Amino acid sequence: MIKVGGSLGADMSRACADIRALVDRGDSVVVVHGGGAEADRLADELGRPKRYLTASGGRRSRYTDAAALDVLVLGMLGRLKPPLVTELLRLGVRAVGLSGADGGMVTARRTPPANVVVDGVRRVVRDDLSGRISAVDAHLPRTLLAAGYVPVISPPAYDPEADPESGAGLLNVDADRFAARLAVALEADWLVILSNVPGLLRDPGDPGSLVTEIPCEDLAGYLDLAGGRMKVKLRTAGEACLAGVPHVVLGDGRGPSPVLAARAGAGTTLVKGVP
Ligand SMILES: Nc1ncnc2c1ncn2[C@@H]1O[C@H](COP(=O)(O)OP(=O)(O)OP(=O)(O)O)[C@@H](O)[C@H]1O
Ligand SMILES: [Mg+2]
């Protein structure tokens, strides 16, 4: 399982040659991609507002009302996925683009209304279309892998309880968690999470301050080092490691051979059972 971060922008396609190499040697590969940055760019382009909400714990996240979800879906499925799929096809990889909703693969439950701060004002938000993944059905990706395809999957997820009158029945979910949950469901040997940093840094301003190894039973001290978006990433990687994915790495997606580099030990590795 290879997750390419939306933070990578055009560098997302750097993983494609490695994917070809892995497929060539007979590995089954699933790609998950994010797309927060593209959604923000598209919102600017379309003149749509970008809003964030801050939870009482201080965590800042995208305020995904129906219009924002629309932009997110357009960005992820319309702008980001096609060039990833065509780049893989060009390299001879039989890539298939999907969202979490396809085949009922990733199901989510909507986050309940919360008392949060939006644009400096505290209020209860009831129209946020974000959710937490409640179930993963790996039947579709397994079927595709068995037939020699490489699924290229991303949020959103499917909300079976959505009101059919309002919205598309989709929910925004975190792309790292999406990749981790699929990796667990598929019993993946590897979860390689690529983004625009070398891994977890002790000092985000210093690329030399890389933390190379983290015991997944004891994340607390490391979570304190991470800023908002890296916190989610690290917590999720820890969950996958605890759930039994044998190799979990946070790697740098900006280099020439990012997946193979991460598999060779570059980046931050999550390890289980270290005293
Ligand atoms: N201690 C830290 N070490 C490394 N990165 C950090 C740290 N604290 C915060 N960050 C931030 O986390 C960011 C990576 O998370 P982000 O969600 O932005 O990227 P992504 O997961 O690749 O993209 P997407 O969520 O769209 O898929 C880095 O760009 C960096 O700014
Ligand atoms: Mg992220």
Side-chain angles (χ1 to χ4, degrees), residues 87-242:
E87 173 68 8
L88 286 166
L89 289 173
R90 205 176 59 74
L91 292 168
V93 175
R94 297 208 291 160
V96 178
L98 300 164
S99 86
D102 288 290
M105 200 168 16
V106 181
T107 302
R109 192 167 295 133
R110 200 168 153 187
T111 313
N115 199 321
V116 295
V117 175
V118 184
D119 301 330
V121 181
R122 177 164 291 282
R123 64 184 182 91
V124 177
V125 163
R126 298 181 190 281
D127 60 349
D128 185 52
L129 294 170
S130 301
R132 275 187 92 84
I133 296 172
S134 50
V136 174
D137 177 355
H139 189 254
L140 177 60
R142 278 193 199 283
T143 305
L144 290 169
L145 290 171
Y149 292 97
V150 169
V152 179
I153 322 172
S154 70
Y158 169 54
D159 177 8
E161 283 156 25
D163 173 3
E165 300 293 305
S166 64
L170 300 172
L171 289 175
N172 180 27
V173 295
D174 178 69
D176 287 323
R177 184 157 277 128
F178 186 100
R181 289 290 302 268
L182 267 171
V184 172
L186 286 162
E187 298 171 272
D189 292 323
W190 282 86
L191 170 60
V192 175
I193 301 178
L194 299 175
S195 82
N196 65 346
V197 283
L200 176 70
L201 302 173
R202 287 191 181 280
D203 169 5
D206 173 11
S209 67
L210 179 71
V211 178
T212 55
E213 212 174 88
I214 298 179
C216 66
E217 293 91 347
D218 187 20
L219 283 187
Y222 298 96
L223 286 169
D224 290 340
L225 296 173
R229 297 177 65 94
M230 182 48 80
K231 234 190 220 14
V232 184
K233 200 180 282 301
L234 186 55
R235 197 171 276 133
T236 295
E239 286 163 10
C241 175
L242 280 177

Side-chain angles (χ1 to χ4, degrees), residues 42-96:
L42 190 58
D44 288 342
E45 205 179 299
L46 299 174
R48 305 265 186 98
K50 290 178 303 225
R51 288 192 299 172
Y52 295 87
L53 41 84
T54 308
S56 45
R59 197 164 105 70
R60 191 165 172 270
S61 58
R62 186 178 298 273
Y63 179 1
T64 317
D65 61 4
L69 182 65
D70 188 42
V71 173
L72 195 78
V73 171
L74 292 173
M76 295 268 222
L77 308 185
R79 281 273 171 89
L80 281 176
K81 203 184 303 293
L84 261 181
V85 169
T86 55
E87 173 68 8
L88 286 166
L89 289 173
R90 205 176 59 74
L91 292 168
V93 175
R94 297 208 291 160
V96 178

